[in-house]
Amino acid sequence: MGDNQKIIAAVQYEPEFYEEENEVLFESSDDGKTWKGINEKVEGLTRYGQPVSFFHSLALLVQPPSDLNELFGYNGVISHSTDGGKNWRVIFDKGGFSSFLKISNYHPEHIWTGGTRPIPYPYFAKSEDGGETWTDLSQNISFNADATATAAAISPRDPDVGLVGFVSNGPAIRKTEDGGQTWTTVLQEYRVYAMGNSKVSLNRVYASGNHPSSKPTVVVSDNYGDSWTTFIHEEGAERLWVNDMAVAGID
């Protein structure tokens, strides 16, 4: 996470084995050789009237590019830490269950999150002020399918332009050019779990997941989602999907 090779990691507990005193966040300052627990405190998160750990069932962390001590976590609600994970504040708890939280590298005040709601239909919300306030745009992104939003990419050129990938019964990639007010389906029948911007071309974006061919596949767009080229690894293993991707800074 920085020049000192600091790493923050989280441990997932099965609910029946978790106790409030269990440590779930850990940090290493020597590139992972040794670890110590972070005794995190969460302000504003309670269950049955008692404070609870934000991370006990599933911990997902995102770090913005501007501050090495700033972290966002999402697990049904979204929390924010400015001291490397020791103290947290719940900043959004009115949405659905998040599958992703995307912070724009070029416009770090713009944060997107999405997933699904208890009555299955897509969930999507965004912040334009670094997480202080949020707008729920789930009704806008819904497209007559009980799909789950699973990944997103925000355009480096314009934070109102972006793409969201979906799985479940409505596999697709949808694009917005007005900050989530309206959406267009730009790729169908592909369950997308991972998306990433190119580091050498502002118009190029990549996506991957569970392709209908059941082969390892990546799709590439050079006009930020308007059209796509599919690359299938025909010799690759079948019946698998990609959960994450890292885009290298080479052409």
Side-chain angles (χ1 to χ4, degrees), residues 1-17:
M1 292 172 56
D3 294 336
N4 60 354
Q5 299 302 304
K6 181 179 179 181
I7 305 169
I8 294 179
V11 174
Q12 180 179 349
Y13 286 85
E14 294 294 336
E16 62 267 29
F17 298 114

PDB file of all heavy atoms in Angstrom, residues 1-17:
ATOM      1  N   MET A   1       0.815  -1.211   0.000  1.00  0.00           N
ATOM      2  CA  MET A   1       0.000   0.000   0.000  1.00  0.00           C
ATOM      3  C   MET A   1       0.852   1.265   0.000  1.00  0.00           C
ATOM      4  O   MET A   1       0.328   2.357  -0.035  1.00  0.00           O
ATOM      5  CB  MET A   1      -0.923   0.011   1.211  1.00  0.00           C
ATOM      6  CG  MET A   1      -2.007  -1.056   1.160  1.00  0.00           C
ATOM      7  SD  MET A   1      -2.924  -1.157   2.687  1.00  0.00           S
ATOM      8  CE  MET A   1      -3.489   0.531   2.823  1.00  0.00           C
ATOM      9  N   GLY A   2       2.188   1.147   0.042  1.00  0.00           N
ATOM     10  CA  GLY A   2       3.036   2.318   0.048  1.00  0.00           C
ATOM     11  C   GLY A   2       4.481   1.900  -0.066  1.00  0.00           C
ATOM     12  O   GLY A   2       4.807   0.731  -0.253  1.00  0.00           O
ATOM     13  N   ASP A   3       5.406   2.887   0.080  1.00  0.00           N
ATOM     14  CA  ASP A   3       6.823   2.579  -0.045  1.00  0.00           C
ATOM     15  C   ASP A   3       7.314   1.663   1.064  1.00  0.00           C
ATOM     16  O   ASP A   3       8.309   0.965   0.912  1.00  0.00           O
ATOM     17  CB  ASP A   3       7.623   3.876  -0.045  1.00  0.00           C
ATOM     18  CG  ASP A   3       7.335   4.716  -1.288  1.00  0.00           C
ATOM     19  OD1 ASP A   3       6.908   4.129  -2.296  1.00  0.00           O
ATOM     20  OD2 ASP A   3       7.535   5.944  -1.223  1.00  0.00           O
ATOM     21  N   ASN A   4       6.633   1.676   2.220  1.00  0.00           N
ATOM     22  CA  ASN A   4       7.032   0.806   3.319  1.00  0.00           C
ATOM     23  C   ASN A   4       6.413  -0.581   3.219  1.00  0.00           C
ATOM     24  O   ASN A   4       6.533  -1.387   4.134  1.00  0.00           O
ATOM     25  CB  ASN A   4       6.656   1.440   4.660  1.00  0.00           C
ATOM     26  CG  ASN A   4       5.159   1.683   4.782  1.00  0.00           C
ATOM     27  OD1 ASN A   4       4.402   1.491   3.830  1.00  0.00           O
ATOM     28  ND2 ASN A   4       4.731   2.113   5.956  1.00  0.00           N
ATOM     29  N   GLN A   5       5.750  -0.856   2.094  1.00  0.00           N
ATOM     30  CA  GLN A   5       5.164  -2.175   1.860  1.00  0.00           C
ATOM     31  C   GLN A   5       4.159  -2.557   2.933  1.00  0.00           C
ATOM     32  O   GLN A   5       4.087  -3.699   3.357  1.00  0.00           O
ATOM     33  CB  GLN A   5       6.278  -3.228   1.757  1.00  0.00           C
ATOM     34  CG  GLN A   5       7.252  -2.994   0.628  1.00  0.00           C
ATOM     35  CD  GLN A   5       6.574  -2.948  -0.724  1.00  0.00           C
ATOM     36  OE1 GLN A   5       5.883  -3.874  -1.108  1.00  0.00           O
ATOM     37  NE2 GLN A   5       6.760  -1.859  -1.434  1.00  0.00           N
ATOM     38  N   LYS A   6       3.397  -1.590   3.386  1.00  0.00           N
ATOM     39  CA  LYS A   6       2.345  -1.879   4.346  1.00  0.00           C
ATOM     40  C   LYS A   6       1.183  -2.572   3.658  1.00  0.00           C
ATOM     41  O   LYS A   6       0.751  -2.168   2.583  1.00  0.00           O
ATOM     42  CB  LYS A   6       1.864  -0.587   5.005  1.00  0.00           C
ATOM     43  CG  LYS A   6       0.778  -0.776   6.058  1.00  0.00           C
ATOM     44  CD  LYS A   6       0.387   0.549   6.659  1.00  0.00           C
ATOM     45  CE  LYS A   6      -0.717   0.398   7.693  1.00  0.00           C
ATOM     46  NZ  LYS A   6      -1.124   1.706   8.261  1.00  0.00           N
ATOM     47  N   ILE A   7       0.684  -3.622   4.279  1.00  0.00           N
ATOM     48  CA  ILE A   7      -0.431  -4.391   3.731  1.00  0.00           C
ATOM     49  C   ILE A   7      -1.499  -4.504   4.807  1.00  0.00           C
ATOM     50  O   ILE A   7      -1.191  -4.751   5.976  1.00  0.00           O
ATOM     51  CB  ILE A   7       0.014  -5.806   3.314  1.00  0.00           C
ATOM     52  CG1 ILE A   7       1.188  -5.744   2.341  1.00  0.00           C
ATOM     53  CG2 ILE A   7      -1.152  -6.573   2.679  1.00  0.00           C
ATOM     54  CD1 ILE A   7       1.833  -7.096   2.105  1.00  0.00           C
ATOM     55  N   ILE A   8      -2.744  -4.312   4.427  1.00  0.00           N
ATOM     56  CA  ILE A   8      -3.872  -4.559   5.324  1.00  0.00           C
ATOM     57  C   ILE A   8      -4.694  -5.694   4.741  1.00  0.00           C
ATOM     58  O   ILE A   8      -5.017  -5.705   3.558  1.00  0.00           O
ATOM     59  CB  ILE A   8      -4.737  -3.302   5.508  1.00  0.00           C
ATOM     60  CG1 ILE A   8      -3.940  -2.222   6.240  1.00  0.00           C
ATOM     61  CG2 ILE A   8      -6.002  -3.619   6.300  1.00  0.00           C
ATOM     62  CD1 ILE A   8      -4.709  -0.930   6.455  1.00  0.00           C
ATOM     63  N   ALA A   9      -4.997  -6.684   5.580  1.00  0.00           N
ATOM     64  CA  ALA A   9      -5.750  -7.855   5.140  1.00  0.00           C
ATOM     65  C   ALA A   9      -6.862  -8.132   6.130  1.00  0.00           C
ATOM     66  O   ALA A   9      -6.826  -7.693   7.281  1.00  0.00           O
ATOM     67  CB  ALA A   9      -4.828  -9.079   5.026  1.00  0.00           C
ATOM     68  N   ALA A  10      -7.860  -8.881   5.655  1.00  0.00           N
ATOM     69  CA  ALA A  10      -9.016  -9.199   6.480  1.00  0.00           C
ATOM     70  C   ALA A  10      -9.248 -10.700   6.491  1.00  0.00           C
ATOM     71  O   ALA A  10      -8.962 -11.396   5.516  1.00  0.00           O
ATOM     72  CB  ALA A  10     -10.251  -8.484   5.957  1.00  0.00           C
ATOM     73  N   VAL A  11      -9.770 -11.190   7.612  1.00  0.00           N
ATOM     74  CA  VAL A  11     -10.091 -12.604   7.774  1.00  0.00           C
ATOM     75  C   VAL A  11     -11.603 -12.747   7.848  1.00  0.00           C
ATOM     76  O   VAL A  11     -12.276 -11.995   8.559  1.00  0.00           O
ATOM     77  CB  VAL A  11      -9.440 -13.173   9.056  1.00  0.00           C
ATOM     78  CG1 VAL A  11      -9.890 -14.606   9.294  1.00  0.00           C
ATOM     79  CG2 VAL A  11      -7.923 -13.104   8.952  1.00  0.00           C
ATOM     80  N   GLN A  12     -12.138 -13.695   7.112  1.00  0.00           N
ATOM     81  CA  GLN A  12     -13.573 -13.953   7.145  1.00  0.00           C
ATOM     82  C   GLN A  12     -13.864 -15.080   8.126  1.00  0.00           C
ATOM     83  O   GLN A  12     -13.227 -16.136   8.089  1.00  0.00           O
ATOM     84  CB  GLN A  12     -14.093 -14.334   5.758  1.00  0.00           C
ATOM     85  CG  GLN A  12     -15.589 -14.619   5.741  1.00  0.00           C
ATOM     86  CD  GLN A  12     -16.087 -14.969   4.353  1.00  0.00           C
ATOM     87  OE1 GLN A  12     -15.372 -14.799   3.380  1.00  0.00           O
ATOM     88  NE2 GLN A  12     -17.307 -15.451   4.261  1.00  0.00           N
ATOM     89  N   TYR A  13     -14.828 -14.859   9.008  1.00  0.00           N
ATOM     90  CA  TYR A  13     -15.241 -15.862   9.983  1.00  0.00           C
ATOM     91  C   TYR A  13     -16.597 -16.444   9.588  1.00  0.00           C
ATOM     92  O   TYR A  13     -17.480 -15.725   9.120  1.00  0.00           O
ATOM     93  CB  TYR A  13     -15.396 -15.242  11.379  1.00  0.00           C
ATOM     94  CG  TYR A  13     -14.106 -14.925  12.084  1.00  0.00           C
ATOM     95  CD1 TYR A  13     -13.443 -13.719  11.855  1.00  0.00           C
ATOM     96  CD2 TYR A  13     -13.553 -15.810  13.001  1.00  0.00           C
ATOM     97  CE1 TYR A  13     -12.263 -13.420  12.508  1.00  0.00           C
ATOM     98  CE2 TYR A  13     -12.369 -15.512  13.665  1.00  0.00           C
ATOM     99  CZ  TYR A  13     -11.733 -14.324  13.413  1.00  0.00           C
ATOM    100  OH  TYR A  13     -10.573 -14.025  14.065  1.00  0.00           O
ATOM    101  N   GLU A  14     -16.769 -17.729   9.781  1.00  0.00           N
ATOM    102  CA  GLU A  14     -18.098 -18.298   9.704  1.00  0.00           C
ATOM    103  C   GLU A  14     -18.905 -17.774  10.898  1.00  0.00           C
ATOM    104  O   GLU A  14     -18.371 -17.651  12.010  1.00  0.00           O
ATOM    105  CB  GLU A  14     -18.042 -19.830   9.756  1.00  0.00           C
ATOM    106  CG  GLU A  14     -17.374 -20.467   8.549  1.00  0.00           C
ATOM    107  CD  GLU A  14     -18.157 -20.247   7.272  1.00  0.00           C
ATOM    108  OE1 GLU A  14     -19.378 -20.016   7.354  1.00  0.00           O
ATOM    109  OE2 GLU A  14     -17.555 -20.282   6.187  1.00  0.00           O
ATOM    110  N   PRO A  15     -20.178 -17.418  10.691  1.00  0.00           N
ATOM    111  CA  PRO A  15     -20.945 -16.774  11.770  1.00  0.00           C
ATOM    112  C   PRO A  15     -20.943 -17.541  13.086  1.00  0.00           C
ATOM    113  O   PRO A  15     -20.878 -16.929  14.163  1.00  0.00           O
ATOM    114  CB  PRO A  15     -22.359 -16.689  11.176  1.00  0.00           C
ATOM    115  CG  PRO A  15     -22.150 -16.656   9.706  1.00  0.00           C
ATOM    116  CD  PRO A  15     -20.953 -17.528   9.446  1.00  0.00           C
ATOM    117  N   GLU A  16     -20.982 -18.863  13.037  1.00  0.00           N
ATOM    118  CA  GLU A  16     -21.065 -19.623  14.283  1.00  0.00           C
ATOM    119  C   GLU A  16     -19.758 -19.615  15.075  1.00  0.00           C
ATOM    120  O   GLU A  16     -19.737 -19.963  16.256  1.00  0.00           O
ATOM    121  CB  GLU A  16     -21.493 -21.067  14.005  1.00  0.00           C
ATOM    122  CG  GLU A  16     -20.538 -21.868  13.131  1.00  0.00           C
ATOM    123  CD  GLU A  16     -20.924 -21.806  11.669  1.00  0.00           C
ATOM    124  OE1 GLU A  16     -21.513 -20.788  11.264  1.00  0.00           O
ATOM    125  OE2 GLU A  16     -20.622 -22.760  10.934  1.00  0.00           O
ATOM    126  N   PHE A  17     -18.652 -19.203  14.419  1.00  0.00           N
ATOM    127  CA  PHE A  17     -17.365 -19.194  15.112  1.00  0.00           C
ATOM    128  C   PHE A  17     -16.904 -17.797  15.495  1.00  0.00           C
ATOM    129  O   PHE A  17     -15.890 -17.639  16.167  1.00  0.00           O
ATOM    130  CB  PHE A  17     -16.287 -19.858  14.246  1.00  0.00           C
ATOM    131  CG  PHE A  17     -16.558 -21.305  13.940  1.00  0.00           C
ATOM    132  CD1 PHE A  17     -16.813 -21.725  12.649  1.00  0.00           C
ATOM    133  CD2 PHE A  17     -16.581 -22.253  14.958  1.00  0.00           C
ATOM    134  CE1 PHE A  17     -17.077 -23.054  12.361  1.00  0.00           C
ATOM    135  CE2 PHE A  17     -16.841 -23.577  14.681  1.00  0.00           C
ATOM    136  CZ  PHE A  17     -17.084 -23.982  13.387  1.00  0.00           C
TER     137      PHE A  17
END
